[in-house]
Amino acid sequence: MVDDTWSSALHRLWQAASRAEEVAALADDVYAPLLATPGVHHVVGTRWDEKHVLRYMRALSAGSDTPVIVATTRSMPGAAVREPGGEPVVTRSTVDGMDGSVWPEAEFLRQAPGASVVACTFRLDQRGWAALALAVDGTADLSVVENRLTQAVDVIVGCHTGILQRGREARRASDDALLAEASLQMDSSLDVEDTLRRVARIAVPAVADGALVHLLRSEGPEFVAATHVAVQQQRALEEAGRHDSWLAALLARRGEDEDTVFLSGAALEGSPFAEAGGADGGANGSADGGAGSGANASAADARPAGDGPHPTVVSISTLRARGRVVGSITFVYQRPEARLPDSAFLRSLATRAALAIDNALLYELRRTAVLSLQEHLLPSQLPESVQWDLSASYAVGDPMLDVGGDFYDAVPRPDGSIALLIGDVCGRGAEAAALTGLARHTLRTLLEEGNDPGTALSRLNRALRQERASRFLTAVVATLTPRPDGTALLSTCSAGHPPPLVLRSDGTVSEVRSGGLLLGVLDDVSYDSHEELIAPDDTLVLFTDGLTESREAGGAFFESVLPARLSALRGSGAAHIAESLAQQAETFRDSGQDDIALLVARWTGIPPDADLLPRDPRIEQAALR
């Protein structure tokens, strides 16, 4: 017997309900006070699902501390007459007149023959209802019993409602955290396929047991990524994503449909997700995914959804961004219906994924367009001769991929010399690109006509002033003129550009003296040339300031190590020098986003089969340490 009064017991019951994580945890706090009510001999509780299947029964008798608990899945269609509507329903009856097909509690309540039964049925949620039944003798005050019973039911319903609310809040917080993390992960890459793979990985297992992502191409859905909690099933899922005709036809039919569709049971017949034992559906089945006439047999045999403890459910969400469909994401579930995500969450996830994918697609298109434009601003190939070894390198430094203003060219001249030019227009974008084209083609034309470097730069400056160019640029022009003794006369003229370097055959590095005003700033500017001799196997290196101004985390510029790095490349061909210096600068820099352009000319002066100083890779590696 319980010594507490009913009010004290009810107070403790409400306190327990506020802390409970499941309704069953309240059983002891509910049953004992009810049994302490005068005249009550038995308390029996039952739990039912929406199909009138008895899931749980608990019985406790007065004088006993050990309840009888029965977990079952007994289908009892007759119990439909007891199912409550919106409000709890209290009934009175006799034990002897109870129908066992309607009242499974009768087997316990009949232990008090001749007793009356006071029962209350009440709805917990849309998926089920419950009942509490008390066996009382003639000494019981039925109005008191009914009052206490309804109060206990209020606590149970309130507890269940609170549990559901806390669950929804926890689920909402978890969903929000997942969506935020998904956005961060997906937005951290601008590669289309990498973004799609991230979408699939983020969703499993947090959202579903498996995920398939397709990109919409002009010829139809293209499989990009798949993941599953089970490695073996992931392989089958990938196979279905690539080759299954049922899935391909379904995705094609989805088209512009924005709503997420859930498929299960008969809707998955003929699909690679169908259950091995036939169509035994879950919730939200839809005829939209009916049996496909051309199902791929090998993919169906693989059954990527596998044989799990729960019926397989598949959802398909269209990925739409900026008014157009970019693809679709298919989730495969093998979990209880209560753990399936709702349409609103899937719609939000699909929207975020679609925007990330669309951004990656736009970046890819822009990157292709910028690189194509950049290609057209540079020479398609450099001239070849037995007397020089020419090569160039260009590295885009701006992650936003605006067209840069760096340019270079090599121009054979009528007198047998070659003119090398390199320049850098201030800024980026379309205007810089237009000025880049003007500068390069103007200099090329003037140098092809035989103008010396100083004259070519002066005339370019005059053209820029006449065109009222809003940007300035730097440039350097160098000519190599062969001499009978196998050397070459190097004539260099600069307009505010970083001075070229000469790598001698013995490894020494010297800076070519040059100076001059920026192009496009003042009218009638003249430029002086500097001359020196280049011996066979000496190398001239022209570059833009993106190379020298690459800065490491400690603040040092690549300019400080450039002579040593270049010296370590002695004996190398022009191509290796150009590519190596560009790569070293990109690796070196922690900050700086300027493009890097290099034009390298190794002067041979004699046929290429002559004996020259061999390249020693060990010297280069030592300089990198």
Side-chain angles (χ1 to χ4, degrees), residues 367-379:
R367 181 175 181 274
T368 302
V370 166
L371 293 180
S372 176
L373 178 56
Q374 200 83 63
E375 263 185 36
H376 285 84
L377 293 175
L378 300 173

Side-chain angles (χ1 to χ4, degrees), residues 174-187 349 352:
S174 176
D175 287 349
D176 290 345
L178 177 62
L179 290 173
E181 177 65 19
S183 294
L184 288 174
Q185 290 290 329
M186 292 183 292
D187 292 343
L349 180 61
R352 293 166 190 247

